[in-house]
Amino acid sequence: MTQDRRAMLYGLGAVGLWSTVATAFKVALQHMTPLELMWIASLVSWALIGALVVRRGLLGEALGRGWRTAAWAGLMNPVAYYLVLFAAYDRLPGQEAMALNYTWALAMALLAVPILGQRLTRMDILAGLIAYSGVWVIATRGRVLDVAFADPLGVGLALVSTLLWALYWLLNARDHRAPLVAQWQNFSVGVPVLTALVVLGPGIQWVGGTALAAGIYVGLFEMGIAFVLWQLAVHTVSRTAKVSNLIFLSPPVSLVLLHVIVGEPILPSTLVGLVLILGGLGLQQWQKAPATPVDAQS
């Protein structure tokens, strides 16, 4: 098997798992609060990534340096990002929250202007206009001339989550920690904070077998295994565009799963909005796709 084919399999595995998590979020949130889901998922992900750190002989590095960065990075991701994201999923249909979350790449391009001093190109502006017109279609559920959003708080939370995610990665542009080490350190900071919030809030209580299974699934796959597979894909492939394009496969599969398992009717406004969002992302990615091979270790 060639290196690129192996990378594509890793990428397809990650995208396949990410396609299921919107459904898992909605199933879990039927039985528990966003905070409880975040706490259970974070514990599972922390244990899984910790086991991988030990297996790869990175424990000494993980326990050594990097904690100054983890102190703030862990509060952003997982704590702030996922709490806001789960709160959005708790208020919105899964299809809407999932579609809105895909605008994080556009948010990153916008935030890179003040943070990294980058300039917006005409293609960035066009891509942003197209994608955020899709956000408007979804937020108004097709009543595009009606300023009243169906759930303004839910839409706001979904968009704030994209800003948090984009800001996290921009601020980590100079983070020299190994990806697994960084992820484990961040969760090591986040889990105690989330535990304190649970104890001081609803308290630790039994949420039921279905909710617990969904929480474990989210921790294993959305925050754990999918992350590892995607890292393997990016660091193995000869050109990053080959695997980055796979992410466009996830939304259609997510919509089908939400319809079949959760029973959500697929709204025409979601389909139109999602096409516009993915179209905007496609324009942006087409512009920035690297034309030359990249070092597999970069």
Side-chain angles (χ1 to χ4, degrees), residues 57-284:
L58 298 171
L59 184 60
E61 180 181 345
L63 293 175
R65 55 188 178 182
W67 290 98
R68 181 177 298 179
T69 300
W72 63 263
L75 294 178
M76 288 188 69
N77 175 36
V79 178
Y81 168 67
Y82 279 105
L83 282 178
V84 173
L85 180 65
F86 290 165
Y89 269 93
D90 197 35
R91 297 188 62 91
L92 296 173
Q95 59 191 282
E96 293 185 356
M98 178 272 297
L100 295 174
N101 188 245
Y102 270 82
T103 61
W104 68 266
L106 277 302
M108 181 177 289
L110 295 175
L111 289 174
V113 175
I115 294 175
L116 301 181
Q118 296 181 1
R119 293 182 178 180
L120 289 177
T121 66
R122 291 180 180 178
M123 189 66 76
D124 286 326
I125 295 171
L126 178 60
L129 290 174
I130 293 173
Y132 284 111
S133 68
V135 170
W136 184 267
V137 172
I138 292 172
T140 60
R141 294 188 180 166
R143 298 187 295 271
V144 294
L145 299 180
D146 186 354
V147 181
F149 291 173
D151 190 328
L153 180 56
V155 171
L157 288 168
L159 294 177
V160 168
S161 75
T162 69
L163 293 175
L164 287 170
W165 188 248
L167 186 61
Y168 168 78
W169 285 108
L170 287 172
L171 294 177
N172 274 272
R174 296 179 179 85
D175 186 356
H176 299 296
R177 296 177 297 167
L180 272 180
V181 169
Q183 192 80 340
W184 184 77
Q185 288 181 337
N186 291 354
F187 274 93
S188 296
V189 170
V191 165
V193 173
L194 291 166
T195 302
L197 291 175
V198 169
V199 171
L200 295 174
I204 298 176
Q205 53 191 343
W206 175 245
V207 293
T210 301
L212 181 62
I216 291 173
Y217 184 91
V218 170
L220 281 177
F221 296 110
E222 207 282 341
M223 301 178 186
I225 295 174
F227 168 82
V228 174
L229 287 174
W230 190 255
Q231 287 293 323
L232 287 171
V234 170
H235 288 277
T236 302
V237 76
S238 60
R239 293 178 67 243
T240 55
K242 289 184 177 181
V243 293
S244 59
N245 289 331
L246 294 176
I247 201 66
F248 292 97
L249 299 175
S250 183
V253 178
S254 295
L255 286 179
V256 172
L257 292 175
L258 284 166
H259 177 66
V260 173
I261 298 176
V262 180
E264 284 190 9
I266 300 176
L267 302 175
S269 57
T270 300
L271 291 176
V272 174
L274 187 57
V275 167
L276 289 169
I277 289 171
L278 294 181
L281 292 178
L283 278 177
Q284 184 196 46

Side-chain angles (χ1 to χ4, degrees), residues 2-58:
T2 65
Q3 178 174 298
D4 276 0
R5 182 169 295 181
R6 188 166 63 250
M8 292 292 286
L9 289 176
Y10 290 144
L12 285 170
V15 169
L17 292 176
W18 279 327
S19 299
T20 68
V21 294
T23 298
F25 291 166
K26 294 302 292 185
V27 170
L29 290 169
Q30 291 173 0
H31 304 279
M32 57 180 161
T33 66
L35 176 59
E36 289 171 324
L37 172 58
M38 183 66 235
W39 179 62
I40 292 172
S42 294
L43 279 172
V44 172
S45 187
W46 173 79
L48 171 66
I49 296 174
L52 291 174
V53 166
V54 172
R55 181 180 178 84
R56 296 190 179 186
L58 298 171

